[in-house]
Amino acid sequence: MRMILFGAPGSGKGTQAALLEKRLGVPAVSTGNILRAAIREGAEVGRKAKSFVDAGRLVPDEIMVEIIKTRLARPDCEKGFILDGFPRTVAQAEALEAAGIAIDHVLDIEVSDEEVERRLTGRRVCQSCEATFHIHGNPPGAEGVCDACGGELVRRDDDAPETVRSRLRVFHEATEPLKGWYERKGKLVTIVAHDTIPNISARIFAALGVRE
């Protein structure tokens, strides 16, 4: 099964992608994680993308297409994949199609801008193991300390309030047209995500025709 999880930053795509990965047995491919790893490691693609990520802007298509094509060519994607965070523009979707990468399902995870801002500005990430917490929804046992490894919890630069608003503006301007593009192909399904994680997952499995 080859699918795309589509939605605004903070809509819960990463959480649902991990659940789908476990249930379907195909890898979740998160462009965000790939980019952050490349930035940490000082890879060339990371250096190119860092200024865009830090400013909450979209990374140029040519960089993202290069990253995704390389990742999907790995053996673990032979039976399918779950794309989280790509494509973000119609041009990227067209590039996928031109590369011969077929998509079976596109799930649009819908969340309001107000809820996205609440989720992202309250998110804290461990600098050591990348475990994620939230100051309201999932706080650590000790403030600023990771429950999993004892590392320091920080707010990522791209989760700062002004950057979140910038990311949302970019999303609506550049990414919203994808809905119509995939809808015309008969592949788009919208999932309302103002609910608990299990209830959202149940809607996704139902839309895919997968038994929980």
Side-chain angles (χ1 to χ4, degrees):
M1 185 178 289
R2 300 177 174 187
M3 74 174 68
I4 293 168
L5 286 186
F6 175 62
S11 62
K13 297 190 306 300
T15 297
Q16 295 301 329
L19 294 171
L20 282 164
E21 179 180 47
K22 182 177 180 181
R23 177 65 182 83
L24 300 176
V26 297
V29 179
S30 167
T31 54
N33 288 345
I34 294 171
L35 283 171
R36 283 189 287 274
I39 290 170
R40 284 197 310 273
E41 295 162 6
E44 182 180 358
V45 70
R47 292 194 297 271
K48 291 179 181 178
K50 187 175 188 305
S51 62
F52 294 92
V53 173
D54 288 348
R57 297 166 59 196
L58 291 179
V59 176
D61 289 354
E62 60 270 21
I63 296 176
M64 295 308 307
V65 170
E66 177 185 352
I67 291 171
I68 292 298
K69 286 177 68 175
T70 300
R71 178 65 184 88
L72 297 186
R74 294 181 184 176
D76 64 338
C77 291
E78 288 181 356
K79 295 183 179 180
F81 51 79
I82 303 159
L83 281 177
D84 169 11
F86 187 93
R88 292 174 182 261
T89 66
V90 171
Q92 290 176 351
E94 291 172 341
L96 277 184
E97 193 171 73
I101 299 172
I103 300 297
D104 302 314
H105 303 282
V106 179
L107 300 182
D108 174 27
I109 311 298
E110 285 281 345
V111 179
S112 70
D113 287 1
E114 292 77 15
E115 176 64 11
V116 165
E117 186 169 347
R118 186 193 72 81
R119 291 181 183 182
L120 292 186
T121 57
R123 182 166 61 180
R124 299 295 183 268
V125 180
C126 177
Q127 286 190 313
S128 299
C129 71
E130 295 191 347
T132 302
F133 299 85
H134 195 280
I135 59 175
H136 301 299
N138 179 35
E143 185 176 352
V145 179
C146 177
D147 290 348
C149 74
E152 180 184 3
L153 298 180
V154 299
R155 182 166 67 186
R156 295 198 322 234
D157 290 342
D158 54 342
D159 283 344
E162 285 303 318
T163 304
V164 169
R165 296 183 194 115
S166 174
R167 293 168 70 190
L168 284 168
R169 284 194 296 271
V170 169
F171 170 77
H172 291 305
E173 291 170 4
T175 313
E176 288 284 351
L178 274 174
K179 291 182 181 180
W181 197 83
Y182 280 115
E183 188 172 26
R184 287 190 294 274
K185 293 179 176 293
K187 296 181 180 181
L188 182 73
V189 177
T190 297
I191 306 294
V192 177
H194 285 273
D195 208 334
T196 64
I197 291 173
N199 286 346
I200 297 167
S201 295
R203 291 181 195 139
I204 290 174
F205 290 141
L208 296 174
V210 175
R211 292 185 178 181
E212 296 186 63

